[in-house]
Amino acid sequence: MADVMLMKDIEATASRLGLDLSSMDLDSIHLPPSDDCGIPSDDEDVYEEDNPEFDSGFGNIIVVDNVPVVPMEKFEKLETVIRKIYSQVGDIKENGLWMPLSSDSTKTLGYCFIEFNTPQEAELAKKETQGYKLDRSHIFSVTMFDEFDKFMKLPDQWAPPESKPYAPGENLQNWLTDAKARDQFVIRAGSDTEVLWNDARHLKPDPVYKRSGAQVWGGATAFDRLMRYAHPQVKLIDLSPGEKYLVTYSSHEPSNPRDVNRVVVNIFNVRTGKVMRDFKGIADDFTVGGAGGVTGVSWPVFKWSGGTDDKYFARMGKNVLSVYETETFSLVDKKSLKVENIMDFSWSPTDPIIALYVPEMGGGNQPARVSLIQIPGKEELRQKNLFSVSDCKMYWQSNGDYLAVNVDRYTKTKKSTYTGFELFHIKERDIPIEVLELENKNDKIIAFAWEPKGHRFAIIHGDNPKPDVSIYSMRTAQNTGRVSKLTTLKGKQANALYWSPTGRFIVLAGLKGLNGQLEFYNVDELETMATAEHFMATDVEWDPTGRYVATSVTSVHEMENGFNIWSFNGKHLYRVLKDHFFQFLWRPRPPSFLSAEKEEEIAKNLKKYSKKYEAEDQDVSALLSEQERERRRKLKEEWDKWVSEWKGLHEEEKLQRQNLRDGEASDEEEEYEAKDIQVEEVINVTEEVEAEHAQE
């Protein structure tokens, strides 16, 4: 419903804009016809009649065909049977079951309509009773009423669809050709979503696009909507690593409070918008696995295999691991992998290998274990038994070369725990495992992070607020496969680690409770490049190239909302404040088509390639210097003008000052002689009466 503006609001707005309403003939103003005033909406196609999601509003009604044709004396019995069948699926509305009769009202017609309280119950009824065998001669055929209505609208005569001229789509990767080699980022603040260039040379963001509301859209500059994915009441989304598939989630509360929430998970093809597979059930079916939860459901429900081919995805169930392949979206080998008491699993980032964790069972008689499973053969590549385990976390290196398993173990007394790491060399023969123990086994592990595409990792360990940070390498000086410690940084105000996507540099961050302490560290040289602070910072994001770092304060805090941009070595470039700031994300860059050898060659000849950009940087620096000089010149002009005005005022008041000084004309203090003057002043008078006079 459109907002209505009162006359007093109009008058206030006119006053603010400096408009005189008395001089305006409001009756002469004619708006364009139609509700939208002739301005089409981007979402107009959402409301088209042929859109099944918004068609007739009868989504809670099903049509059941192949029902027995019976005379009136058997009508009540048949009605009771059908009601009993469908009441097990959902709540049928009062007078919600209708079986049409013949024109002479002597028999049924072989079909019926059933109205449920919610569309979700109707969809479930269709799924559960499609093909239901009432008897040998009557097998139910169930259709949603909305679909039936759509079929009835089909013309009797087929006509070929109208061909539309081909319109080439926008090149979605055109932004990568930016002449300034800039990256884009998207921010969400209030109800607005903005896409901006990171124009670090000019020390400010350069706007690209802005719009309000929620949409699925993309592009280089126009950001038109690419595709709609029809999933009513969707609450969560997740993209596969290769961006080929979109997973959507919705939860629907039942009309009967004694029933449980129904969950719908759809997997769409991103390019076509087609639903490739749906999963429906109760919320309890989707509570195992996932990093976060909403309304009792773990999210994401599915974990995808590594790489960009999106060939497999998997989810945990009770004592099973279900792995699906995307060629047919069915289970690999048509059955789930039985793993009793499975607690967690994760995919290699590059290969179809699953690492799964199973805790101890039988009171410790059966040890915990970490297993590596090859897909699709489901062959166990390596297994490691673990004893006295309290907790276990798994961390893959981005190339899939290493797997670190952080194991918390109970002491013999079971009163405390200590920490160690099992380090798997995935790409080596027989997958050897190294054991790493900290110097102080009782240190708490606060954070762990692998160097992307590298062989080093960092650990924050100890007690807050100043734990230690240790950096290790999976190689020794002789480049052999043996873990070694490079350094330990003592007493750092840090609780999170952020490696550059190109390796070498790392940010040690003290977020939230540690008030945004930042340390930019060069791991190659083992030295601190800079320390800084972004007060109350909640998030840190490296850009895809490893040139810049964004730190942000989101709306979990009421103050200082916005973001800062830093260079890789910790130089602060610019700051943007935004009220109700929710999110900052860099636009991902697709994988490079260059070979590792070509990238290495470019790195060796970087000076040759960088001459062009250095010259541009000098030009920008000169421009900024000129702009700075212009800014200072204007400030000086304003200052001189202010001083001149006050001098004029001072001259105008000269006579007044002369009168106040008893005729002295000079304003110079040095020409006056200070004199001390004694002034006698009666402060108080007290009258006393002597006692002897009082007695008389």
Side-chain angles (χ1 to χ4, degrees):
M1 182 177 178
D3 292 334
V4 177
M5 182 175 270
L6 299 176
M7 192 61 199
K8 64 178 182 180
D9 298 326
I10 296 175
E11 291 171 348
T13 303
S15 175
R16 179 168 50 84
L17 297 175
L19 300 176
D20 184 7
L21 289 180
S22 62
S23 63
M24 299 178 64
D25 183 7
L26 298 179
D27 294 332
S28 66
I29 300 175
H30 298 284
L31 296 176
S34 75
D35 292 338
D36 62 5
C37 296
I39 304 173
S41 167
D42 288 341
D43 300 324
E44 201 63 41
D45 60 325
V46 173
Y47 303 101
E48 291 179 357
E49 287 187 0
D50 60 350
N51 189 323
E53 185 182 338
F54 299 96
D55 265 347
S56 60
F58 298 123
N60 60 334
I61 300 175
I62 62 173
V63 183
V64 184
D65 202 3
N66 292 336
V67 174
V69 177
V70 299
M72 290 305 297
E73 53 266 26
K74 293 185 179 181
F75 179 93
E76 188 175 342
K77 182 178 180 181
L78 177 61
E79 184 183 43
T80 301
V81 170
I82 293 176
R83 188 180 296 277
K84 182 177 180 181
I85 293 171
Y86 283 95
S87 293
Q88 297 175 30
V89 181
D91 287 339
I92 300 174
K93 279 192 173 183
E94 186 177 354
N95 300 321
L97 173 57
W98 178 52
M99 284 192 294
L101 301 176
S102 61
S103 57
D104 57 1
S105 300
T106 59
K107 61 181 180 180
T108 61
L109 294 178
Y111 61 90
C112 68
F113 298 87
I114 304 177
E115 183 179 5
F116 291 91
N117 279 330
T118 67
Q120 291 72 40
E121 291 173 327
E123 290 176 4
L124 184 62
K126 175 188 174 182
K127 178 182 177 182
E128 296 294 332
T129 63
Q130 183 70 270
Y132 181 85
K133 191 174 182 180
L134 185 64
D135 56 38
R136 185 178 299 179
S137 303
H138 299 92
I139 300 175
F140 288 171
S141 175
V142 186
T143 306
M144 299 298 296
F145 185 84
D146 279 348
E147 296 174 358
F148 185 84
D149 189 39
K150 181 177 67 176
F151 298 149
M152 293 297 293
K153 293 179 181 178
L154 292 175
D156 295 334
Q157 297 295 325
W158 179 84
E162 180 184 353
S163 61
K164 297 181 180 179
Y166 171 72
E170 186 182 11
N171 180 3
L172 301 183
Q173 296 185 356
N174 184 60
W175 68 279
L176 295 169
T177 63
D178 177 54
K180 301 177 183 178
R182 299 173 297 179
D183 277 278
Q184 289 184 351
F185 59 86
V186 60
I187 61 173
R188 181 79 175 163
S191 61
D192 294 331
T193 300
E194 296 181 64
V195 180
L196 306 104
W197 290 107
N198 174 34
D199 201 343
R201 285 174 172 173
H202 291 87
L203 306 180
K204 63 180 181 179
D206 185 7
V208 178
Y209 193 77
K210 178 178 179 179
R211 74 182 297 163
S212 300
Q215 282 282 345
V216 179
W217 39 269
T221 55
F223 282 89
D224 296 323
R225 186 169 60 209
L226 304 178
M227 181 61 64
R228 280 193 67 253
Y229 306 96
H231 187 159
Q233 303 177 44
V234 65
K235 295 181 179 178
L236 294 170
I237 63 172
D238 183 43
L239 277 167
S240 62
E243 299 183 357
K244 294 182 179 180
Y245 303 104
L246 174 71
V247 184
T248 60
Y249 159 89
S250 63
S251 174
H252 310 278
E253 294 186 3
S255 55
N256 189 337
R258 292 174 295 178
D259 293 338
V260 294
N261 280 19
R262 292 284 173 181
V263 167
V264 178
V265 178
N266 288 335
I267 302 180
F268 292 90
N269 183 303
V270 168
R271 289 191 177 273
T272 66
K274 179 182 177 183
V275 177
M276 308 305 297
R277 174 75 192 263
D278 65 358
F279 296 84
K280 299 177 181 179
I282 62 175
D284 289 347
D285 296 337
F286 299 90
T287 55
V288 182
V294 59
T295 61
V297 174
S298 298
W299 188 259
V301 170
F302 299 107
K303 295 181 182 180
W304 293 83
S305 59
T308 58
D309 57 356
D310 293 340
K311 193 171 182 180
Y312 303 102
F313 61 98
R315 59 176 287 218
M316 281 196 311
K318 188 175 182 180
N319 298 325
V320 295
L321 179 63
S322 300
V323 183
Y324 303 84
E325 46 84 17
T326 54
E327 187 173 344
T328 63
F329 280 84
S330 59
L331 286 168
V332 172
D333 290 341
K334 298 182 179 180
K335 59 183 178 181
S336 297
L337 181 65
K338 292 185 178 180
V339 185
E340 188 176 356
N341 210 29
I342 181 172
M343 182 69 70
D344 191 17
F345 81 99
S346 61
W347 287 94
S348 162
T350 55
D351 302 299
I353 298 175
I354 289 177
L356 60 86
Y357 165 62
V358 177
E360 292 181 355
M361 293 183 288
N365 294 325
Q366 188 172 339
R369 75 176 191 274
V370 172
S371 298
L372 298 176
I373 308 296
Q374 178 83 49
I375 301 298
K378 301 180 181 178
E379 171 192 0
E380 187 173 69
L381 303 177
R382 191 72 159 88
Q383 176 180 307
K384 175 70 183 222
N385 290 333
L386 306 169
F387 297 89
S388 302
V389 176
S390 165
D391 193 16
C392 180
K393 297 182 180 68
M394 297 180 288
Y395 304 94
W396 282 96
Q397 183 256 10
S398 62
N399 282 351
D401 294 336
Y402 309 106
L403 171 67
V405 180
N406 176 199
V407 184
D408 293 337
R409 290 181 169 92
Y410 291 110
T411 59
K412 290 183 179 180
T413 62
K414 300 282 186 179
K415 293 182 179 179
S416 60
T417 60
Y418 63 96
T419 297
F421 289 88
E422 307 284 336
L423 304 171
F424 292 68
H425 294 255
I426 303 296
K427 301 294 177 70
E428 296 182 23
R429 184 178 179 180
D430 297 329
I431 310 181
I433 302 172
E434 286 189 78
V435 177
L436 171 66
E437 292 184 347
L438 302 179
E439 293 178 2
N440 184 352
K441 293 182 180 181
N442 296 322
D443 274 1
K444 177 185 176 183
I445 303 299
I446 298 172
F448 178 100
W450 284 102
E451 177 185 28
K453 303 177 183 179
H455 56 87
R456 296 173 290 200
F457 60 90
I459 307 172
I460 301 179
H461 56 95
D463 297 319
N464 283 321
K466 287 193 174 184
D468 297 337
V469 179
S470 293
I471 300 174
Y472 294 82
S473 171
M474 294 295 286
R475 303 173 185 169
T476 61
Q478 293 75 33
N479 201 33
T480 58
R482 184 71 182 172
V483 64
S484 59
K485 184 168 76 171
L486 302 178
T487 188
T488 293
L489 309 174
K490 295 287 187 179
K492 296 295 180 180
Q493 283 187 284
N495 55 15
L497 299 164
Y498 297 93
W499 284 92
S500 163
T502 59
R504 185 178 176 184
F505 306 113
I506 190 172
V507 175
L508 316 178
L511 302 179
K512 300 177 182 178
L514 295 183
N515 286 333
Q517 300 296 319
L518 304 170
E519 182 169 342
F520 296 80
Y521 193 80
N522 185 334
V523 180
D524 280 1
E525 305 298 331
L526 298 179
E527 64 180 13
T528 297
M529 298 181 291
T531 58
E533 179 185 78
H534 184 178
F535 184 59
M536 295 195 296
T538 56
D539 298 278
V540 177
E541 291 273 353
W542 280 89
D543 88 317
T545 65
R547 296 177 295 171
Y548 303 102
V549 181
T551 59
S552 57
V553 179
T554 57
S555 57
V556 295
H557 296 299
E558 294 182 359
M559 301 184 300
E560 302 292 329
N561 280 198
F563 62 92
N564 286 354
I565 300 294
W566 313 75
S567 66
F568 73 93
N569 57 358
K571 179 182 177 181
H572 184 253
L573 300 178
Y574 62 88
R575 182 187 189 191
V576 175
L577 294 177
K578 289 277 186 180
D579 289 337
H580 306 294
F581 187 79
F582 297 120
Q583 195 173 22
F584 181 107
L585 286 175
W586 292 100
R587 187 169 189 173
R589 284 179 173 261
S592 172
F593 290 111
L594 299 176
S595 63
E597 293 77 14
K598 186 64 177 177
E599 289 185 357
E600 187 175 349
E601 177 191 336
I602 293 173
K604 288 180 179 178
N605 300 294
L606 193 59
K607 288 186 178 180
K608 180 177 71 175
Y609 295 105
S610 63
K611 287 181 180 179
K612 170 190 172 185
Y613 298 107
E614 288 174 355
E616 291 179 358
D617 286 345
Q618 289 176 359
D619 292 342
V620 171
S621 179
L623 176 62
L624 291 176
S625 298
E626 180 61 31
Q627 291 174 346
E628 179 64 17
R629 285 194 292 271
E630 179 65 17
R631 186 184 70 85
R632 293 185 178 184
R633 185 187 64 78
K634 289 182 178 179
L635 287 175
K636 187 175 185 305
E637 285 181 356
E638 292 177 4
W639 168 256
D640 291 343
K641 181 181 178 182
W642 183 85
V643 170
S644 177
E645 290 175 353
W646 277 100
K647 282 184 176 180
L649 182 63
H650 185 267
E651 188 64 27
E652 292 175 4
E653 296 175 345
K654 181 176 181 180
L655 184 60
Q656 290 179 288
R657 293 195 303 275
Q658 185 175 343
N659 293 334
L660 291 172
R661 289 194 291 260
D662 296 330
E664 291 291 341
S666 176
D667 289 328
E668 300 297 331
E669 284 191 24
E670 292 80 2
E671 297 184 12
Y672 296 94
E673 179 182 352
K675 294 182 179 180
D676 293 332
I677 300 176
Q678 292 184 353
V679 178
E680 293 184 359
E681 182 179 354
V682 178
I683 303 300
N684 191 15
V685 177
T686 303
E687 183 177 338
E688 295 183 358
V689 179
E690 294 183 2
E692 56 184 3
H693 293 296
Q695 291 176 356
E696 293 175 359

